[in-house]
Amino acid sequence: MDMKMNANQNEQVPLDGLEPAVDPCYEKGDQVTLLVDHVMAHMIMKMKGAPATIVAGYHTRAYAVDFYTTNDHTFVKDHKWIIQREIKGETDDSPALANGTEITMEAAHMPGMKGAKATIVDSADENIYIVDVPPYQGQQAMMNHRWFLQSEMQTREATEETGD
């Protein structure tokens, strides 16, 4: 997997005005361990156990979605996460969307995502983070990876002490 999975940063939905993380566990520059894998395109990104560095933290609604990519019609199941403002016609202040809601994504986390129709399959309302992930288990580094929930990571020191 290469950094091309992280779409051009210029195509990303701007984060200006997004509410900062509320009582965050992590601050910019903190070292964490990721506790879950995420799905990108047609493959699972091996991220469970990976070290990462916090780039930024926010508080907003996040959604997991199923969709077909616009570039090659690859089915992506349970892509985690896109945030409320990355959904066409939605803002940070829009009401929460229910599971099963069909949406159009403005998110550009990977090729074929922006403009794709999707179905919401899960949601969370908690702190969410952008992280940098160094090369891990044969995958290349991912910079400014959007998004990991606060509950999907723990401090690096805690992981090393527990041996997880």
Side-chain angles (χ1 to χ4, degrees), residues 8 11 16 47 51 59 84 94 98 104 121 123-124 137 153:
N8 182 335
E11 295 176 10
D16 300 335
M47 296 178 172
H59 186 86
Q84 186 92 14
S94 296
T104 300
V121 296
S123 63
Q137 292 190 355
M153 60 183 84

Side-chain angles (χ1 to χ4, degrees), residues 136-147:
Y136 184 72
Q137 292 190 355
Q139 298 170 152
Q140 291 187 358
M142 291 186 295
M143 308 307 288
N144 297 309
H145 178 78
R146 295 183 182 190
W147 299 97

